[in-house]
Amino acid sequence: MNIGKNALMVLEKRYLTKDENGNNIETVEELFRRVAAAVAGADGLFCPDADTASVEKRFYDLMTNLDFLPNSPTLMNAGRPLGQLSACFVLPVGDSMEEIFEAVKQAALIHKSGGGTGFSFSRLRAAGSTVRSTGGVASGPVSFMRVFNMATEAVKQGGTRRGANMGILRVDHPDIREFITCKTNNADITNFNISVGITEAFMRAVESGTSYPLIDPKTKSVVREESAPEIFRMIVENAWRNGEPGIIFLDRLNRDNIVPGQGEIESTNPCGEQPLLPYESCNLGSINLVNMLKEDENGNYTVDYGKLKETVELAVHFLDNVIEINKYPIEKIEEVTKLTRKIGLGVMGFSDMLLYLGIPYDSQQAVSLGESLMQFITESARAKSAELAGPRGPFPLFGESIYAGKTEPLRNGTVTTIAPTGTISIIAGCSSGIEPIFAYAFVRNVMDNTELPEVNPVLEEILRKRGLYSGELMRKIADQGSLADIQELPEDIRRVFVCSHDISPESHIRMQAAFQKYTDNAVSKTVNFRHDAAVEEVSKTYLLAYRLGCKGVTIYRDGSRDSQVLNIGKVN
Ligand code: UDP
């Protein structure tokens, strides 16, 4: 297997099966063999005379060629006693002590098994409202979020990573101001990402500069009015300060709810890419786009659509199998998940692909490519899902879904999601998700302060090919982060090798919107701002995302938190 140094380090530290003394008792090849065998086993459940050995070989090759990798829990747990394979869960939080602490318990079980949880706290009564049984006063959603946060702190995910949470509050909840500012201090509620659930009514009030009503979640009566521009400004200023809160557009999530009869979508998973109904879970997997290129005899690259189609089909087969062999942490989750059988196939290495194609990330050509690639992937994935529905049957709620009578029966309620691929892109040795390259040389800060120094392999390869590579040049790139001002590099290289901070927030959003257009679920994307960006720029970005049809926005202004995962210009 062609596995890099950093990939090996991550696998050894967290993914390979260990004995009771913490020593690795499997090799990287054995890990992929274990996963391939477990996932292929599902074919035998559907059809007793299935040739599972040949399916296993295809899954093994798919992963060891690094063409596709499933989300981390599948790599860690498939074929092992825990057997919990999904990254994404959403749990309901009801407005009673029993329901709140039931959700805390369920979240702890999910975190222990390696999954991340999302919650809407919008049903909880506002701080200060009365509690009938005791005559006391309710402490409100934010105080309960702190309880979830503490519980998460105590539970390590299967001993490997700490649980991640998404906390959402509707913009019309009476405690919205407290929620928007609950992470103003970087040390608070650290195990949560938070997002304000934005409604279209609110956005219209922002645009027309009017007020909007805050609604008591219990009585549904209007508590008071707030100025929409003022609340919007507050969200933007806080996001500018340290990246939180993000926003999600609730009406849009629900317009794409494939089974509206089952209730409303009120939350996503922790990183925002997977909207789910209460108790639904979803397993993700991503195709490495770098491996979907072909090189002609002149050294020019083009997209290999034939290979991409085959890879999509095998990946859909793989992810549908995962639903079947998954050991769900809670019975109710198994029941609800199997009603819609959602899977989330996505991509990684998109930026690296652009480098080989010689297309700058911040160009119309890149946006068009993103859109057409994702259209191709979603259409191919859906066709494969329809094919699987033949022998395996459609997802049980197909008849009441938005697809009924419009498409042929489908095995899976959704097929595509763009995940962050934070760890699996390190394993595949490519750029993460659809993100631009953060810096061409940097120190990556992962897991317990381990630092991974890196020079971008595509840059190195292309500079060597053109006889431009030198140690001195690499050091210079490491110091500056960006190539934009390195005069000794030819213009075409400086134009193509753009990094996150060379790219305007508008270009970030345009790329997110291009992928969103053909993604069933949502797109994980961080819009990077320079340290000296103005609050107004963040505001403009949020409005543009709204206009372009994104389902949410996450921003990050460089240097706005004490510790960040990626740092420019800190290579040793
Ligand atoms: N996730 C989690 N804890 C983590 C990282 C991720 O629970 O430390 C979950 C979360 O739901 C996130 C999803 O996994 O949205 C996918 O994240 P990513 O693609 O980065 O995961 P990978 O498979 O690369 O580890």
Side-chain angles (χ1 to χ4, degrees), residues 357-387:
L357 293 170
I359 303 172
Y361 189 95
D362 52 343
S363 66
Q364 185 49 45
Q365 208 189 344
V367 170
S368 305
L369 177 66
E371 192 174 309
S372 56
L373 268 176
M374 206 54 217
Q375 178 174 16
F376 182 84
I377 291 170
T378 295
E379 284 171 2
S380 307
R382 203 169 287 142
K384 179 65 187 182
S385 182
E387 186 195 312

Side-chain angles (χ1 to χ4, degrees), residues 256 312 343-347 367-382 403 414-418 434 510-523 548-551:
D256 285 349
V312 169
I343 57 172
L345 177 62
V347 297
V367 170
S368 305
L369 177 66
E371 192 174 309
S372 56
L373 268 176
M374 206 54 217
Q375 178 174 16
F376 182 84
I377 291 170
T378 295
E379 284 171 2
S380 307
R382 203 169 287 142
Y403 293 117
T414 66
V415 288
T416 43
T417 302
I418 308 289
I434 60 159
R510 287 196 185 280
M511 190 61 83
Q512 180 180 334
F515 274 88
Q516 182 61 70
K517 190 166 173 193
Y518 291 104
T519 299
D520 285 348
N521 295 300
V523 176
L548 293 181
C550 295
K551 287 186 176 169

Side-chain angles (χ1 to χ4, degrees), residues 482-503:
S482 162
L483 275 66
D485 297 324
I486 299 187
Q487 301 304 329
E488 56 266 48
L489 281 172
E491 176 59 31
D492 69 311
I493 288 193
R494 280 191 280 154
R495 179 66 191 104
V496 171
F497 286 76
V498 285
C499 65
S500 309
H501 291 87
D502 299 327
I503 295 167

Side-chain angles (χ1 to χ4, degrees), residues 243-389:
E244 300 221 59
I247 53 174
I248 60 162
F249 297 115
L250 288 173
D251 303 289
R252 272 187 199 151
L253 300 190
N254 281 291
R255 216 166 289 146
D256 285 349
N257 180 357
I258 56 146
V259 283
Q262 297 293 308
E264 260 181 56
I265 293 185
E266 50 178 27
S267 182
T268 67
N269 70 326
C271 302
E273 70 276 14
Q274 189 62 52
L276 292 169
L277 290 165
Y279 292 118
E280 247 185 332
S281 67
C282 185
N283 64 92
L284 313 176
S286 301
I287 292 176
N288 175 3
L289 290 175
V290 180
N291 287 10
M292 302 299 130
L293 288 167
K294 56 184 173 195
E295 190 181 2
D296 69 15
E297 58 277 13
N298 302 319
N300 295 321
Y301 292 92
T302 48
V303 178
D304 185 344
Y305 280 97
K307 181 171 181 193
L308 180 57
K309 185 159 191 291
E310 274 174 28
T311 308
V312 169
E313 288 170 354
L314 197 54
V316 168
H317 180 175
F318 184 108
L319 294 172
D320 187 61
N321 280 16
V322 169
I323 299 176
E324 220 47 39
I325 61 154
N326 202 350
K327 292 188 188 155
Y328 295 85
I330 299 161
E331 218 173 277
K332 176 86 178 166
I333 291 176
E334 171 158 22
E335 208 178 284
V336 174
T337 300
K338 286 184 171 170
L339 288 175
T340 52
R341 303 188 65 89
K342 289 178 180 173
I343 57 172
L345 177 62
V347 297
M348 54 186 166
F350 177 64
S351 276
D352 286 346
M353 173 186 248
L354 291 176
L355 299 180
Y356 281 111
L357 293 170
I359 303 172
Y361 189 95
D362 52 343
S363 66
Q364 185 49 45
Q365 208 189 344
V367 170
S368 305
L369 177 66
E371 192 174 309
S372 56
L373 268 176
M374 206 54 217
Q375 178 174 16
F376 182 84
I377 291 170
T378 295
E379 284 171 2
S380 307
R382 203 169 287 142
K384 179 65 187 182
S385 182
E387 186 195 312
L388 288 175

